[in-house]
Amino acid sequence: MLRTKLALIFILIFTTSCKQLFTDDELGLVFEKTLISSLSYESTFKINAAFPLGKTISRPVGVWQRLLETDNYCMDYRIPSKKKTGIITLVKKEANSICPALPIYEPFLSLDNISDFNFKLLNNFISGKKIRKATYGMSLTFLYKNEKRKIEITLVNMNRKIFKENHDFLKYQSFGTKYWKKGLRISRVKNRKIRTNPWLVQSLKKDSSGELNFCERVDRTCKVIGKNSCYECLAGWIPVVDFNCPNGGSKVCAPIDCGKKGMPACPRGTKWKGVEMLELCFDNSPAGFCEGELKTMCDDNKVLICN
Amino acid sequence: MKKVKTVLFTLLLTLTVFGVIVASFKWTNWKKLNKLDKDVQVISKINVFSETLIKKWEQGASAKEWPSIKNSCPELGIKGNVDPSYSKCNSTYLNCVLKKQKEFNILQSKEGLLYSVVSRASSLEEDIPHYFLRILLEVDGDLFNIDLEDICRDVYLPQKIYGYKVKKDTKRKFSWVWDNFNRNIFIDKFLVTNREVNEWITTTNQNLEKHSPNERPAVFLKKDKMHQYCAFKGKILASAQVLEAASFYPSLSSVKPGSTLIRYDYPWVRRNKKSFLYNLLMNKDITLSKENCKRAYVQDCFEITPFFNHMTKSSSWSGIFEILGGPFETFENNLETDRNLRASSFYFPGNHSVHKIGEKLSWDGVAHLDKNIEWGSEKPVGVGGRSLEIGFRCMKYAQN
């Protein structure tokens, strides 16, 4: 009886140590398909700038590195050394949307015995030329048990903002194509997330002091102070006149009656005047306009207003 | 003998248990792989479907389909002359397309509606645009959303120096200029239509009367409602300065700092003499044609052809339409507050001087009667006691 028990225990230890008896090929397939299923509808891709896209990742050897962070997942890689095998893992983000610290002992998905790993993100620009029907996606190539593998994932929701070529708007472009390819997005209903706060509406502070609630505040070095929350405005946003930064000055959620007495001046720019200046907030500044006979003046908050 | 039997029994039992466990693992593995395989196939199928869908959404009905659109998509309720561009990013047309597809099980949001309108005004879902259409697919028990944003309505205003025509401007040079360097502005190509306003009324349960035909510009809203409509779309009512920037043909020097800008009165030409409106104004002996009316539907056009909706023959340099003629258009004017109405409209004959870009009147925004408009010396005949048609369009700021 004892021997039977021992045999059974041995079988259990044996089988559980064999990753449910997947063959190497099956393990590769499970990895590939789970990866496609998990990442297909992700939209934001934060790439570790230390590893240039499309280049084989070979250093620092034997160390875990975070390669990529998406809306819901983090992709990590232990670069192979003589003593340690290469492992690629995918881990789900924690509740606060933060990637757990490395190394991760229980990843959501992993594949061992990897080497010569490289990945790249594709867009519809090749060598600066726009390709009409190109697919947005991700491509991973690596050696798995010394066999070359390639995984290609179409990323329909990939935020175009990560590609520098698409940063500037073009003539005839529609706003709808700014983030999403052709304004299209696909998602699983079960993955839908609900905001805990309402959309932002208030542009004037409730104490009727005329003070503004900024959704983006910039300083004189054009650095954004705090967090930019203009994308959370219920009805869009409006720029106010303070500093002439590459991305405009500070912003408030719409609606706000610019140009009226006591309200921010409507932006007018300064290039029309033949001058370019950084600080736009001073009395009678030409960088803003007001209705009728009102004049522009700089208020205590360093915003150009109408008076 | 007994010992041998026991050993054999144990071995057999062990092998059987081992075999069962291995088989069960293999079965689980096969099922897991099979499920993953199916999942990947579903994703691929939805991707292909969405590509077809976005093509129809973006391009609308083809030139071949358009002549028979009243039969193939009676829900559009087209009554008058309409340009095929009306079917682009049009939810009603998309519904017709969806009804014809058999590949996927699309869940209805309401009786006969295969999409729903989602906006920030009604949803707290994370990272959604201000307004979009949602199609809900059911595939093997899993639910998928296909969301489509309107990519046909607005156009980017390039960063330049622009002129705005102030009341005192009489010379060919703009006396009031501005620029939008470091600011990204998108403006609607067309006036907002009844279809869009009716959709807004339904989605937000507004206590407002719906108007038809759907393809006509929405011309009976009060100004505060126009503001509310634009806010629903995540936009603001277009400003006079932006609208005129997108309408006036820009001078060649409009990207150079401090440059002098010349005003061109018509959106299609730099030389006035090439415009039929200028020739009419100068009493040149010309006959107004149907093609002229497609560009600017002035009062005389009523005798030539019915009104053209969503017309794309009247494009400006920036790609906006419906700039001269047709119904009045109101805008926000934070510089000259009493000049908030585009004067060029089908209330004035073709030889009237209002048919130039930048000619403006004043509307109180409260009602649509002639007494609500400050006509100055420009009041045309036949407007008394009528409900006057006043359209609008929206604009928005965007970050890089």
Side-chain angles (χ1 to χ4, degrees):
Chain A
M1 201 60 194
L2 184 70
R3 262 178 293 174
T4 315
K5 275 183 185 169
L6 280 172
L8 285 171
I9 289 165
F10 166 74
I11 290 165
L12 280 172
I13 292 168
F14 169 74
T15 46
T16 47
S17 67
C18 287
K19 280 212 170 179
Q20 293 179 286
L21 294 181
F22 274 119
T23 61
D24 288 346
D25 198 43
E26 282 172 338
L27 278 174
L29 276 174
V30 168
F31 178 79
E32 177 182 338
K33 291 186 190 301
T34 312
L35 198 69
I36 294 174
S37 174
S38 307
L39 297 185
S40 280
Y41 298 142
E42 296 292 278
S43 58
T44 43
F45 291 81
K46 278 185 208 156
I47 302 151
N48 185 343
F51 304 107
L53 293 175
K55 294 261 167 72
T56 300
I57 299 168
S58 52
R59 281 167 198 278
V61 289
V63 178
W64 279 101
Q65 293 290 323
R66 178 139 293 146
L67 303 182
L68 181 73
E69 199 180 321
T70 71
D71 314 65
N72 300 298
Y73 299 96
C74 317
M75 190 193 270
D76 306 313
Y77 179 42
R78 187 175 75 186
I79 301 163
S81 65
K82 280 181 184 166
K83 287 181 184 169
K84 292 173 182 170
T85 55
I87 307 175
I88 186 90
T89 63
L90 195 69
V91 62
K92 280 186 182 170
K93 278 187 172 174
E94 288 163 354
N96 50 4
S97 288
I98 290 173
C99 287
L102 288 169
I104 289 148
Y105 298 104
E106 286 182 16
F108 161 71
L109 179 71
S110 74
L111 193 64
D112 204 343
N113 292 302
I114 298 278
S115 60
D116 287 5
F117 181 85
N118 86 64
F119 79 108
K120 57 184 172 185
L121 291 168
L122 314 162
N123 71 346
N124 60 348
F125 279 82
I126 295 171
S127 305
K129 286 188 178 173
K130 197 173 183 183
I131 311 297
R132 271 179 72 83
K133 287 189 176 174
T135 308
Y136 283 73
M138 184 188 214
S139 140
L140 293 86
T141 49
F142 53 89
L143 289 178
Y144 169 56
K145 301 242 174 186
N146 294 320
E147 198 180 295
K148 195 170 180 183
R149 298 246 176 176
K150 187 172 187 181
I151 301 173
E152 284 183 324
I153 309 170
T154 306
L155 302 170
V156 278
N157 302 335
M158 184 160 64
N159 191 326
R160 301 158 63 111
K161 236 183 137 179
I162 57 171
F163 298 112
K164 280 186 179 166
E165 299 96 316
N166 289 346
H167 252 209
D168 291 334
F169 293 109
L170 306 169
K171 193 178 175 189
Y172 303 132
Q173 190 178 351
S174 164
F175 178 74
T177 58
K178 179 173 157 44
Y179 296 120
W180 301 352
K181 183 193 170 197
K182 296 193 171 183
L184 166 80
R185 187 148 91 162
I186 307 173
S187 58
R188 290 176 199 267
V189 173
K190 64 182 178 194
N191 291 349
R192 205 169 59 154
K193 289 179 188 164
I194 302 296
R195 290 169 57 87
T196 46
N197 303 317
W199 299 105
L200 306 178
V201 282
Q202 198 70 32
S203 48
L204 280 175
K205 286 199 171 149
K206 279 181 183 162
D207 57 9
S208 64
S209 60
E211 220 178 305
L212 296 164
N213 269 322
F214 294 94
C215 65
E216 182 188 288
R217 188 89 226 245
V218 293
D219 63 16
R220 64 186 311 279
T221 63
C222 291
K223 213 175 120 192
V224 177
I225 304 166
K227 189 182 145 218
N228 174 341
S229 53
C230 294
Y231 62 93
E232 294 184 80
C233 294
L234 176 66
W237 54 266
I238 291 172
V240 294
V241 183
D242 54 1
F243 297 105
N244 186 17
C245 298
N247 286 321
S250 301
K251 296 156 186 80
V252 293
C253 287
I256 196 155
D257 284 331
C258 76
K260 296 211 180 316
K261 192 172 170 66
M263 300 303 277
C266 306
R268 191 179 177 182
T270 57
K271 235 179 182 174
W272 65 270
K273 189 102 175 130
V275 289
E276 280 206 74
M277 43 186 134
L278 175 66
E279 291 194 31
L280 306 176
C281 193
F282 53 90
D283 291 355
N284 294 318
S285 167
F289 68 90
C290 305
E291 65 178 46
E293 299 301 310
L294 296 177
K295 299 260 184 276
T296 57
M297 65 170 275
C298 195
D299 73 354
D300 298 340
N301 220 11
K302 287 279 169 210
V303 168
L304 198 67
I305 61 157
C306 295
N307 208 352
Chain B
M1 190 63 189
K2 200 181 171 188
K3 240 182 178 179
V4 174
K5 268 186 181 175
T6 312
V7 170
L8 272 177
F9 175 76
T10 310
L11 202 65
L12 197 68
L13 184 73
T14 311
L15 280 174
T16 312
V17 172
F18 183 78
V20 167
I21 291 172
V22 169
S24 121
F25 274 140
K26 280 285 176 192
W27 170 247
T28 317
N29 293 352
W30 180 82
K31 266 189 11 191
K32 187 177 178 180
L33 260 172
N34 206 29
K35 193 186 170 303
L36 281 170
D37 204 36
K38 227 172 162 183
D39 209 24
V40 171
Q41 276 177 33
V42 166
I43 289 170
S44 167
K45 254 175 86 179
I46 292 176
N47 286 356
V48 173
F49 175 65
S50 69
E51 284 291 328
T52 323
L53 206 62
I54 197 77
K55 203 172 161 193
K56 280 313 252 180
W57 174 245
E58 187 188 16
Q59 295 176 1
S62 65
K64 207 174 150 189
E65 284 171 274
W66 191 245
S68 58
I69 197 73
K70 286 181 187 171
N71 297 325
S72 61
C73 187
E75 295 95 316
L76 278 171
I78 289 173
K79 293 193 177 100
N81 277 337
V82 202
D83 187 84
S85 64
Y86 174 65
S87 61
K88 293 179 180 181
C89 299
N90 180 321
S91 55
T92 317
Y93 174 70
L94 185 79
N95 202 47
C96 290
V97 172
L98 292 173
K99 276 182 180 172
K100 283 173 194 152
Q101 73 81 34
K102 302 274 177 247
E103 203 180 344
F104 285 96
N105 177 26
I106 301 175
L107 305 183
Q108 296 194 30
S109 64
K110 278 182 196 164
E111 180 80 44
L113 269 195
L114 294 172
Y115 68 88
S116 54
V117 173
V118 184
S119 91
R120 288 189 179 183
S122 57
S123 173
L124 273 179
E125 194 176 323
E126 257 185 26
D127 293 329
I128 55 168
H130 291 89
Y131 163 91
F132 61 97
L133 292 196
R134 172 161 279 173
I135 297 149
L136 186 58
L137 302 181
E138 196 262 311
V139 189
D140 296 336
D142 261 350
L143 293 173
F144 294 85
N145 289 322
I146 297 184
D147 298 340
L148 301 171
E149 222 180 325
D150 191 339
I151 52 170
C152 318
R153 167 143 277 284
D154 55 12
V155 72
Y156 182 63
L157 184 70
Q159 296 189 8
K160 285 178 190 288
I161 300 170
Y162 293 108
Y164 161 80
K165 193 177 177 183
V166 290
K167 202 170 185 176
K168 60 181 183 196
D169 264 352
T170 47
K171 292 181 182 164
R172 296 277 290 161
K173 200 182 83 176
F174 283 109
S175 63
W176 198 92
V177 290
W178 65 289
D179 72 71
N180 65 336
F181 290 101
N182 295 340
R183 289 196 308 284
N184 298 307
I185 299 170
F186 286 86
I187 182 164
D188 283 1
K189 290 181 194 172
F190 296 96
L191 294 176
V192 174
T193 62
N194 278 332
R195 184 192 69 76
E196 292 165 300
V197 168
N198 292 344
E199 189 176 78
W200 165 65
I201 292 172
T202 308
T203 311
T204 55
N205 292 319
Q206 297 278 331
N207 187 20
L208 287 171
E209 187 190 346
K210 289 183 184 173
H211 287 273
S212 66
N214 283 335
E215 67 272 17
R216 285 279 290 196
V219 289
F220 295 114
L221 286 184
K222 290 178 187 172
K223 203 150 187 186
D224 60 336
K225 294 292 170 191
M226 293 175 180
H227 282 291
Q228 284 179 28
Y229 170 85
C230 289
F232 167 75
K233 297 263 175 167
K235 301 179 181 182
I236 52 175
L237 188 65
S239 76
Q241 290 72 30
V242 168
L243 186 61
E244 288 185 15
S247 306
F248 278 118
Y249 215 109
S251 299
L252 292 172
S253 59
S254 56
V255 287
K256 290 180 191 160
S259 53
T260 301
L261 300 189
I262 304 296
R263 198 182 70 237
Y264 303 103
D265 291 332
Y266 304 99
W268 326 287
V269 284
R270 282 208 172 107
R271 293 190 63 184
N272 283 352
K273 282 180 184 171
K274 285 190 176 175
S275 168
F276 69 95
L277 287 171
Y278 179 80
N279 290 328
L280 280 171
L281 180 66
M282 293 290 118
N283 287 321
K284 293 270 168 66
D285 192 20
I286 65 155
T287 318
L288 207 59
S289 69
K290 199 174 167 179
E291 284 307 303
N292 293 152
C293 293
K294 284 181 179 174
R295 289 205 145 176
Y297 197 89
V298 292
Q299 195 183 51
D300 324 45
C301 291
F302 284 111
E303 289 164 19
I304 299 165
T305 176
F307 180 68
F308 295 99
N309 294 289
H310 231 259
M311 186 35 75
T312 52
K313 285 276 159 72
S314 57
S315 170
S316 77
W317 72 277
S318 66
I320 70 162
F321 305 101
E322 301 174 310
I323 304 156
L324 293 176
F328 283 124
E329 177 177 352
T330 190
F331 31 74
E332 197 63 8
N333 195 339
N334 299 313
L335 185 71
E336 299 178 301
T337 44
D338 58 340
R339 299 181 79 218
N340 61 359
L341 191 71
R342 184 217 329 132
S344 174
S345 61
F346 50 40
Y347 295 107
F348 293 95
N351 61 359
H352 201 285
S353 61
V354 294
H355 296 303
K356 289 177 190 166
I357 310 169
E359 289 298 317
K360 296 178 273 288
L361 297 172
S362 175
W363 176 48
D364 66 11
V366 179
H368 292 70
L369 295 172
D370 63 314
K371 63 181 180 188
N372 300 101
I373 294 174
E374 197 74 56
W375 299 93
S377 58
E378 311 285 6
K379 189 170 179 178
V381 287
V383 292
R386 284 172 65 183
S387 191
L388 300 170
E389 299 186 22
I390 301 171
F392 68 105
R393 69 183 86 207
C394 313
M395 61 174 259
K396 80 178 287 160
Y397 289 99
Q399 275 178 297
N400 266 343

